[in-house]
Amino acid sequence: MNNSVENRFNQAGLSPVFFLTRRHEDLNIFLKVAIMGAESRKLHISSKVAPLWKLLRKKGVAWGTVPDWSDPSRNVNVFVDSSLQLGMAKAFSSFDKFLDDCSAELDRYSEYFGDEFNGAAGDQDSQNDEVNKLSRLYQRLSMSTTEVSYFFPFFIFYQELRNCIVHRAGVASNGSERAYTEIIDSGAISKWADKTNQHGPIQVTQPTADEDLKIGIPDVILSSGTLLIIARDISSQLCARIGVDGLTYLAARSVLRDIAKDQHSVWTKNKTFEGAVAIFLCKYNRLERVRSSDVRDILERIEFYRTGNRDFLNAKL
């Protein structure tokens, strides 16, 4: 690949982090629309509930009897609280998929290049599956946590809240109290501001064991932001490990995988295999101005062009 692209390689990211970023942005949209819609309707819907419900039932999107709207504030608060809890659960669900996708990328890379990622196994003494999965990935890659260790107290705290939402009907646990105390005692909030240049105000809701969680919008955004920072660190270190050859190979495999699933995939609109891979690298791996000729040179060097091009052309038949 030409020197200008090589020099920009440190800006590259794995495709899974692209999709996680998009889900983070979608979460922001979801929360804004949900909150704006709920608040705008709080005081203006009471007299219109019955005809509105009748209309919705005709459209097949409502069920049962007309909801009681005698206390609109309570109804809206229930909706907002549930939306915020759903948002936090979705943030961790997206991160869980990111970790799975990264592991799958590693497996594909290792299978082809014979480069096994066999870092130290480490101790898996946490009862938190998400923490264990994150720890295993860092250990498998022998990666440094220096750049993200500041954010781990937030990760653990919001993971505890997520577990309370999913497994305790939104009721706070003793573990969530301890995780909050760790954030305060460790000075994690000031470290967050120093590390990210986001000087706040950073708001973290304090949970009380055996009481309903009262998380706010800042908690949901901060939890999703924490996960995104960690994901970008994993992506950056992994890209450095596999290099331009590995990233191009994974992009080529992704193009072929998409075509195999859908013969009308957007990639079949490209005249050449290398052209499709170049577009993938630009769109999903954040590499700018990648030329088809650069991609072909790499794929030929790693001896994947003939196989990949054959499968690409067959898919277009």
Side-chain angles (χ1 to χ4, degrees):
M1 192 170 286
N2 63 51
N3 288 334
S4 62
V5 175
E6 288 280 8
N7 291 336
R8 291 194 303 275
F9 181 66
N10 61 353
Q11 303 292 326
L14 296 175
S15 57
V17 84
F18 170 88
F19 293 108
L20 182 65
T21 301
R22 191 162 67 182
R23 292 186 183 98
H24 173 76
E25 294 167 351
D26 288 347
L27 177 60
N28 275 273
I29 294 172
F30 163 71
L31 291 175
K32 289 176 180 177
V33 172
I35 301 304
M36 286 192 303
E39 291 298 326
S40 67
R41 284 310 207 179
K42 183 182 293 184
L43 300 176
H44 304 289
I45 200 173
S46 299
S47 62
K48 303 175 183 178
V49 169
L52 176 59
W53 196 254
K54 184 177 180 180
L55 175 63
L56 293 177
R57 291 197 65 166
K58 286 183 178 180
K59 295 180 68 174
V61 295
W63 65 95
T65 59
V66 178
D68 178 11
W69 209 263
S70 59
D71 189 353
S73 292
R74 180 188 181 280
N75 291 358
V76 169
N77 288 340
V78 168
F79 172 77
V80 170
D81 289 345
S82 297
S83 296
L84 293 174
Q85 291 185 14
L86 174 62
M88 185 171 290
K90 282 176 66 67
F92 274 91
S93 178
S94 296
F95 186 71
D96 189 42
K97 187 176 188 309
F98 164 80
L99 294 180
D100 287 344
D101 289 346
C102 282
S103 293
E105 292 278 65
L106 288 179
D107 290 340
R108 283 188 281 271
Y109 174 86
S110 297
E111 180 182 5
Y112 188 76
F113 289 95
D115 182 4
E116 296 294 334
F117 297 90
N118 294 319
D123 296 327
Q124 303 298 327
D125 56 1
S126 173
Q127 295 181 356
N128 188 316
D129 289 340
E130 202 75 20
V131 172
N132 280 337
K133 184 179 291 188
L134 178 62
S135 176
R136 283 195 298 270
L137 185 59
Y138 268 92
Q139 290 161 357
R140 179 183 180 187
L141 298 173
S142 299
M143 294 193 308
S144 168
T145 59
T146 301
E147 294 298 318
V148 292
S149 59
Y150 301 95
F151 307 109
F152 282 174
F154 288 98
F155 176 86
I156 294 171
F157 172 64
Y158 286 122
Q159 177 64 15
E160 287 287 349
L161 296 192
R162 176 265 179 197
N163 289 342
C164 292
I165 292 167
V166 174
H167 301 298
R168 291 175 54 85
V171 176
S173 64
N174 291 325
S176 65
E177 276 192 340
R178 290 192 297 269
Y180 174 83
T181 300
E182 177 61 24
I183 286 180
I184 302 304
D185 292 347
S186 66
I189 291 179
S190 61
K191 291 177 182 177
W192 172 287
D194 292 341
K195 194 69 176 176
T196 64
N197 252 345
Q198 298 174 8
H199 294 287
I202 296 175
Q203 303 175 33
V204 181
T205 299
Q206 180 176 3
T208 301
D210 297 323
E211 293 187 7
D212 289 341
L213 291 173
K214 296 296 180 183
I215 61 176
I217 294 178
D219 289 302
V220 182
I221 299 302
L222 196 57
S223 66
S224 184
T226 298
L227 299 174
L228 193 56
I229 287 171
I230 295 173
R232 285 173 175 167
D233 180 68
I234 292 172
S235 172
S236 176
Q237 294 195 62
L238 184 54
C239 281
R241 172 71 181 272
I242 68 176
V244 176
D245 289 1
L247 193 66
T248 304
Y249 169 76
L250 292 177
R253 285 288 303 271
S254 294
V255 168
L256 294 174
R257 192 167 62 252
D258 285 350
I259 292 176
K261 291 189 295 186
D262 180 10
Q263 289 186 336
H264 302 289
S265 166
V266 63
W267 306 117
T268 60
K269 297 178 181 179
N270 292 276
K271 294 182 179 179
T272 65
F273 177 47
E274 58 267 36
V277 177
I279 293 174
F280 189 98
L281 286 166
C282 291
K283 182 175 182 179
Y284 296 115
N285 298 119
R286 296 184 299 157
L287 280 174
E288 298 179 358
R289 300 186 297 279
V290 180
R291 300 182 306 187
S292 298
S293 57
D294 296 326
V295 171
R296 179 163 180 165
D297 288 345
I298 291 175
L299 294 177
E300 287 182 341
R301 184 171 70 237
I302 64 176
E303 300 180 351
F304 188 70
Y305 179 75
R306 180 177 296 181
T307 299
N309 188 55
R310 180 198 62 208
D311 293 345
F312 179 82
L313 294 176
N314 287 339
K316 289 169 64 70
L317 296 178

